[in-house]
Amino acid sequence: MLFCAPWRKTLSLLLQPQAESSTLSEIYKPPNGRLTKDVLLGGGGTGDVYKGRHHRRGVVAVKIANISRDEESVCRELKFLQQFGGHKNIASYYGAYYRTPLTECSSELLEIVLEYCGGGSLHNLISKTNGQSLKETWIGYVCKEVLKGLHHIHKNRAVHRDIKSLNIMLTETAKVKIIDFGNSWDLDPQTGLCHEADGTAHWMAPEAIRQKGQRLAYDTKVCCTYNTCNNTEHLLISVNGTWKQ
Ligand SMILES: Nc1ncnc2c1ncn2[C@@H]1O[C@H](COP(=O)(O)OP(=O)(O)OP(=O)(O)O)[C@@H](O)[C@H]1O
């Protein structure tokens, strides 16, 4: 059943354009001892993320993506990670390994190897303030770094579409890194607009949430809204300064 879905073909061509007839296991190769997984770091809709060790990269994050469940999203994530993972504010992409299903009924998995962000998520950092806001200097620093990453994405005519404190990571030396490109989307080459509104409801800009599920268009400014929140208050900042609280 290999390459039966159009996304599967895209997935293979993405990494090995010449190998149209290769199987996934030929392209990605099983890890064969080159990657080990350790503690669970977190998880989401795509799958669990583990701390791991790569034979060449050392300590890494390993995202287990279920290809059988959501091939389209996994494919998109890989495409954007490859495209943007070189920017200093985006978690680096080191490669992916194919896990052969144990039985005919088990799912096909891909182990996506990423730069390890040992400082945890911005969401965790905010939780640690026990209902207090982060210091303004911290908010300024994190926003600036996130906007640098977003600027890079937008300059390359794409939108992340899922900017939220859970997808902003910190390294052990407090570098800021954007993760999770499973929702990202290319802008229309003609109009420069995104015609597919999507994201996580609580973190979506009003322009985007009004258009969710509809074929309307919005521009990159809505992706620049940035929400740091705790239980009692929200601090909403947008690049054009229209949202403030
Ligand atoms: N590079 C990384 N370094 C350290 N921890 C990470 C890394 N990537 C992901 N994590 C942890 O795993 C969690 C889930 O990661 P991610 O958002 O990529 O998964 P997802 O399944 O796509 O989530 P969602 O359902 O929000 O789309 C993150 O919130 C974070 O705690």
Side-chain angles (χ1 to χ4, degrees):
M1 291 297 284
L2 289 164
F3 297 131
C4 53
W7 276 101
R8 176 62 54 88
K9 191 158 186 173
T10 318
L11 191 61
S12 64
L13 291 176
L14 206 74
L15 289 180
Q16 209 167 306
Q18 355 35 352
E20 198 165 340
S21 59
S22 303
T23 63
L24 268 187
S25 55
E26 283 164 348
I27 297 165
Y28 292 101
K29 312 278 184 217
N32 289 340
R34 287 171 291 187
L35 185 68
T36 50
K37 293 191 293 295
D38 188 8
V39 290
L40 183 68
L41 294 169
T46 312
D48 290 334
V49 180
Y50 291 86
K51 186 174 179 181
R53 179 164 281 278
H54 185 260
H55 71 119
R56 278 195 292 113
R57 301 286 185 173
V59 178
V60 290
V62 186
K63 183 166 179 172
I64 314 293
N66 190 323
I67 314 168
S68 312
R69 196 178 51 209
D70 196 353
E71 192 170 304
E72 182 182 328
S73 163
V74 175
C75 179
R76 258 190 279 140
E77 176 142 31
L78 282 172
K79 166 184 145 42
F80 288 110
L81 277 171
Q82 280 195 318
Q83 194 179 352
F84 300 128
H87 189 271
K88 73 179 180 76
N89 295 112
I90 294 168
S92 300
Y93 167 72
Y94 296 145
Y97 293 107
Y98 179 79
R99 281 274 172 197
T100 316
L102 294 175
T103 67
E104 240 177 68
C105 310
S106 12
S107 298
E108 285 181 284
L109 302 176
L110 211 57
E111 299 190 332
I112 304 174
V113 188
L114 301 165
E115 174 181 5
Y116 172 61
C117 303
S121 70
L122 179 64
H123 189 264
N124 286 345
L125 189 69
I126 294 166
S127 315
K128 283 183 197 155
T129 64
N130 291 324
Q132 304 298 308
S133 291
L134 291 177
K135 286 200 174 110
E136 237 177 87
T137 45
W138 259 93
I139 295 170
Y141 166 69
V142 175
C143 285
K144 191 173 167 192
E145 296 303 301
V146 170
L147 289 172
K148 282 185 208 164
L150 286 178
H151 177 64
H152 180 69
I153 297 168
H154 297 163
K155 215 173 55 187
N156 287 286
R157 306 184 74 78
V159 274
H160 182 281
R161 301 200 309 176
D162 206 9
I163 290 297
K164 56 183 179 182
S165 53
L166 287 156
N167 286 340
I168 308 298
M169 300 298 295
L170 297 160
T171 67
E172 277 149 343
T173 53
K175 291 187 180 126
V176 178
K177 307 274 174 174
I178 298 172
I179 60 162
D180 195 0
F181 285 80
N183 252 328
S184 302
W185 203 258
D186 281 314
L187 294 173
D188 184 296
Q190 255 86 50
T191 61
L193 297 171
C194 177
H195 292 282
E196 305 282 339
D198 206 348
T200 308
H202 284 93
W203 282 270
M204 283 174 78
E207 300 96 305
I209 203 157
R210 273 198 295 270
Q211 296 175 16
K212 197 170 179 190
Q214 297 176 44
R215 271 198 66 83
L216 294 170
Y218 60 90
D219 64 17
T220 55
K221 280 199 287 297
V222 303
C223 194
C224 287
T225 54
Y226 181 59
N227 181 357
T228 56
C229 61
N230 58 28
N231 289 333
T232 56
E233 64 182 70
H234 289 249
L235 175 68
L236 296 170
I237 299 166
S238 77
V239 282
N240 60 10
T242 50
W243 293 7
K244 281 199 184 93
Q245 186 177 316

